[in-house]
Amino acid sequence: MAAASALDLGAPWGLVRPEPAPTRFHPVHGAHIRVDASGTRATRVESFAHGVCFSREPLAPGQVFLVEIEDKELGWCGHLRLGLTALDPASLPAVPEFSLPDLVSLGHTWVFAITRHHNRVPPEGHPEAEALLPRRPPALLEEPYLCIEQFRIPRDRLVGRSRPGLYSHLLDQLYELNVLPPTARRSRLGVLFCPRPDSTADMHIVINGEDMGPSARGLPAAQPLYAVVDVFASTKSVRLIQLEYGLPSLQTLCRLLIQRSVVHRLAIDRLHLPRGLKDFCKNE
């Protein structure tokens, strides 16, 4: 599937963007990874290595491959690694033990360990110090979209959420403001690429709804680019989060309205709503 024929999400701001196919993990992955039947959850079942995973299909321009950290394992040093590769996973003779440096050393691969001030490439014409200045993300109600180069992405699903509980409304604010460690349990991390006029692309990494800036430049935009997720060391399990790129669904609009009308998610149980809708509003 060539990148040129992939679904183009690059509609100008204000236009409805088409929905890409749901993201799934590739059947080719590290020896210690188990992917569930839905293809949306990847768990490392032993050791701290052999946890490299790929997207099943190449990403479309502006499509975010978004994962949520579901489980962690104490006793290991290191965290999730994320990036892109122009290598077809099906063509690999064997999946490398590590994404860094093993997979990267094969070439045409850009992977980084997730940190707060992620390996940002300075913007053209701007000093490096300015590129590394932290910027607190706006509240979801103030700015519901994340703008990355020519793409506008709804922030709602990009931001991690705590488990439903009495203090979930306070914990959710910590994810929304992105003040928790980027590899905390239930943090959401994504990778995407943005084509440029010179037929190259910039790779961006998103942490809880905040764009970390270009992590790499000069990627081959005309080649298929697969997401890389290395479930490494203290990161034990991740699940894929699906995004809506076009107009939000009626279900999503109802959920947002309900969530913004209660103090915390446990209060949803007291609403006169179908049980299925209550569970959806509390857990999404």
Side-chain angles (χ1 to χ4, degrees):
M1 179 179 176
S5 63
L7 179 62
D8 185 7
L9 302 180
W13 292 356
L15 296 183
V16 176
R17 295 166 62 185
E19 291 290 334
T23 54
R24 295 289 185 269
F25 285 112
H26 202 286
V28 173
H29 48 69
H32 291 165
I33 285 292
R34 298 295 179 268
V35 176
D36 73 347
S38 69
T40 61
R41 181 176 281 102
T43 302
R44 195 186 69 253
V45 295
E46 61 179 281
S47 182
F48 64 94
H50 290 289
V52 177
C53 306
F54 306 94
S55 59
R56 188 170 66 185
E57 303 290 344
L59 300 186
Q63 181 182 11
V64 184
F65 194 81
L66 183 68
V67 299
E68 179 180 277
I69 297 177
E70 275 209 319
D71 196 12
K72 304 194 71 174
E73 186 173 41
L74 299 178
W76 302 114
C77 181
H79 302 279
L80 185 83
R81 296 161 173 188
L82 195 60
L84 296 170
T85 183
L87 303 175
D88 183 348
S91 69
L92 295 174
V95 177
E97 182 177 7
F98 303 103
S99 60
L100 285 172
D102 301 3
L103 183 64
V104 171
S105 68
L106 298 179
H108 305 288
T109 302
W110 304 264
V111 175
F112 297 94
I114 297 297
T115 62
R116 170 65 63 197
H117 299 294
H118 186 80
N119 311 61
R120 306 184 190 190
V121 178
E124 296 176 0
H126 291 77
E128 183 172 356
E130 181 177 339
L132 299 176
L133 285 177
R135 296 177 175 86
R136 175 164 289 187
L140 283 172
L141 288 175
E142 296 174 9
E143 178 50 69
Y145 291 96
L146 175 64
C147 298
I148 303 179
E149 298 192 20
Q150 68 267 45
F151 300 105
R152 192 174 74 160
I153 305 161
R155 287 183 62 223
D156 175 49
R157 291 283 185 93
L158 295 174
V159 180
R161 305 187 72 208
S162 64
R163 296 187 185 279
L166 186 60
Y167 301 104
S168 59
H169 61 296
L170 300 176
L171 295 173
D172 287 348
Q173 291 180 19
L174 300 181
Y175 288 103
E176 187 176 329
L177 295 173
N178 205 10
V179 296
L180 293 173
T183 53
R185 188 179 275 106
R186 298 181 74 89
S187 279
R188 294 184 178 182
L189 310 135
V191 63
L192 70 155
F193 72 93
C194 302
R196 296 174 62 86
D198 61 359
S199 297
T200 66
D202 294 343
M203 183 180 82
H204 287 251
I205 286 177
V206 177
I207 299 176
N208 286 320
E210 181 183 4
D211 175 27
M212 296 291 102
S215 302
R217 296 188 189 275
L219 279 67
Q223 295 184 32
L225 293 171
Y226 295 82
V228 179
V229 179
D230 192 350
V231 187
F232 175 69
S234 64
T235 303
K236 177 76 172 178
S237 181
V238 298
R239 72 178 180 106
L240 288 170
I241 304 296
Q242 307 302 328
L243 300 179
E244 294 178 333
Y245 294 92
L247 293 174
S249 66
L250 180 59
Q251 187 180 47
T252 295
L253 292 174
C254 289
R255 173 175 59 83
L256 291 174
L257 180 60
I258 292 169
Q259 289 173 346
R260 292 169 185 175
S261 301
V262 296
V263 175
H264 55 76
R265 278 181 276 159
L266 287 185
I268 294 174
D269 282 328
R270 296 196 291 269
L271 300 177
H272 296 289
L273 296 171
R275 171 53 57 185
L277 182 56
K278 289 181 182 180
D279 293 340
F280 176 72
C281 291
K282 286 195 301 181
N283 296 303
E284 281 298 314

